[in-house]
Amino acid sequence: MLEVNDSVFCKKLPKVELHAHLNGSLSTKTLRELIELQKPLSDNSDATWNIWEAIIEHGQKRTLEECFQIFGIAHSLTTTPATVYKATQDVIKEFVDDGVRYLELRSTPRNVPQIMSKAQYIQAMVDAIQGMTDDQILVKLMVSIDRRQGKESASETVDAAVVAYHQNPKIIVGLDLSGDPTKGLVSDYLPVLARGRNAGLKISIHCAEVPNSDEVEEILNFHPDRLGHCTCIHPLHGGSQELWIKLLHSHIPVELCLTSNVKCGTVENYKKHHFIHLFTAKHPIVLATDDKGVFATSLSEEYVLAANSYDLSKEQLWKMTMSSIDYTFASEEEKNRLKQMFMQIKELSDVQ
Ligand code: 6MZ
């Protein structure tokens, strides 16, 4: 159990973030700055700005409804290549400040008529990543498909992602399927994901955020490279023994977002999070923030919560962060460099 200076330890611990949505990760500071940039150009009423500012201001005390309103506000503020660029750079800098050394940032490219195409959205993120001079972090991009937006939109997104991947193979690494888990059918999106996979992109799929055995079965049969959440697979959490065994046998690494699940109400509390079942089964897992802005968290905070909720020692946290490197979509050479860097930090510093 961590006690003294646990948050200092978790902040200093070099970390890997593999599940962060750009527009859900915008901090209060970035949202406020984007509002100031947009005010002179927009015909929003004063009342709209006041409501947005009040929701943003609520920070930690946001209600669940307000949390989801933040996605809408963030989307209204990132409608040009310049604002997508700023959003990306701000989020990267904040992860650096939190001790993250490897980041896979994901986002759903949007087509804004006459202003920005999906290809330009992706390019703005690539430019922002390339424009970072910080050598403390390695950043990759995953292109998200929103399961609410239909097959045609998904196909356009994959086309844009594949072109961008050929131009920037060291930055763009994968595709993600996300969006409201109660909308759309995963089966509609598996063919386009397969097309991306054939082109060389890795695949991560949001899985079982709500109970849906048929969908979990389809996703596991597709065998993505990683899975997000996997909340309702264990028999105690709305899944079944059969699905649970199938997940464990798949050995597919699972991205776990403790605070997001608790705040969304899909998990009752931290102690009852399915982390404990996967951790006990020695299944590959990685802690992640999901939407650090929306849910007012940070990756080091997620490590503190895991340590305190499941009585983890510092050595167990070290093992968790080291093994996360294996689940990244980085090249083998990059993984080896990261491992060496993490080991050096462990040996040379007081992060023990
Ligand atoms: C499913 C989520 C999500 O892509 O505009 N997103 N999808 N479950 C979640 N758990 C809470 N959190 C975020 O970032 C925002 C988008 O990411 C997806 C949703 O599609 C959301 O609109 P981007 O950068």
Side-chain angles (χ1 to χ4, degrees), residues 23-313:
N23 281 285
S25 299
L26 304 184
S27 61
T28 300
K29 179 171 174 289
T30 297
L31 289 169
R32 279 204 206 111
E33 287 171 5
L34 288 172
I35 284 187
E36 290 314 312
L37 286 175
Q38 207 190 75
K39 264 185 187 170
L41 309 169
S42 155
D43 49 14
N44 274 352
S45 66
D46 282 350
T48 303
W49 293 121
N50 291 343
I51 293 168
W52 285 13
E53 279 161 3
I55 294 170
I56 292 166
E57 212 58 46
H58 264 182
Q60 297 271 359
K61 293 191 217 91
R62 264 175 222 144
T63 62
L64 185 61
E65 199 188 343
E66 284 174 334
C67 281
F68 281 96
Q69 283 170 326
I70 292 283
F71 283 123
I73 295 175
H75 284 150
S76 310
L77 294 171
T78 52
T79 51
T80 62
T83 48
V84 171
Y85 181 97
K86 175 183 166 49
T88 306
Q89 284 216 330
D90 283 9
V91 166
I92 295 171
K93 283 181 202 150
E94 287 159 1
F95 275 117
V96 171
D97 290 345
D98 192 39
V100 172
R101 302 301 180 111
Y102 177 89
L103 165 66
E104 280 172 19
L105 191 57
R106 57 185 75 186
S107 193
T108 324
R110 266 170 293 131
N111 186 11
V112 184
Q114 269 105 54
I115 297 178
M116 177 169 64
S117 63
K118 288 186 179 182
Q120 286 170 321
Y121 185 108
I122 296 172
Q123 189 58 45
M125 288 190 76
V126 170
D127 289 345
I129 292 169
Q130 284 174 330
M132 292 293 300
T133 48
D134 202 313
D135 58 6
Q136 289 200 308
I137 190 164
L138 181 59
V139 185
K140 306 282 182 184
L141 172 57
M142 290 177 65
V143 177
S144 298
I145 294 168
D146 184 339
R147 56 184 286 167
R148 290 165 293 198
Q149 290 178 357
K151 287 191 257 190
E152 203 180 313
S153 171
S155 186
E156 270 170 30
T157 300
V158 172
D159 288 343
V162 169
V163 171
Y165 165 62
H166 289 313
Q167 289 163 352
N168 310 278
K170 288 199 172 147
I171 294 183
I172 297 176
V173 288
L175 294 171
D176 151 62
L177 181 66
S178 49
D180 186 338
T182 64
K183 307 270 158 58
L185 298 173
V186 159
S187 52
D188 281 347
Y189 299 95
L190 296 180
V192 282
L193 290 171
R195 194 150 61 75
R197 176 150 75 182
N198 289 338
L201 291 163
K202 302 281 187 190
I203 310 290
S204 178
I205 301 186
H206 280 57
C207 180
E209 278 183 273
V210 293
N212 188 338
S213 304
D214 292 346
E215 199 171 278
V216 175
E217 187 94 32
E218 281 166 358
I219 294 172
L220 291 176
N221 288 343
F222 182 79
H223 207 92
D225 301 280
R226 285 202 314 257
L227 294 162
H229 301 289
C230 294
T231 316
C232 306
I233 297 189
H234 191 277
L236 290 174
H237 298 282
S240 66
Q241 188 63 17
E242 196 190 340
L243 281 183
W244 178 248
I245 298 294
K246 191 164 174 142
L247 169 65
L248 297 185
H249 284 176
S250 76
H251 301 291
I252 302 174
V254 181
E255 306 148 358
L256 292 176
C257 312
L258 308 180
T259 296
S260 161
N261 297 155
V262 170
K263 288 202 176 167
C264 284
T266 52
V267 169
E268 212 177 307
N269 57 49
Y270 289 97
K271 287 228 184 272
K272 290 194 178 160
H273 196 279
H274 48 293
F275 173 100
I276 197 63
H277 302 299
L278 289 165
F279 183 77
T280 310
K282 296 193 168 45
H283 191 83
I285 48 173
V286 53
L287 286 178
T289 51
D290 208 3
D291 300 289
K292 73 174 182 58
V294 170
F295 300 118
T297 188
S298 65
L299 190 55
S300 50
E301 183 64 18
E302 297 301 298
Y303 270 80
V304 173
L305 286 163
N308 291 334
S309 305
Y310 318 114
D311 286 348
L312 304 180
S313 65

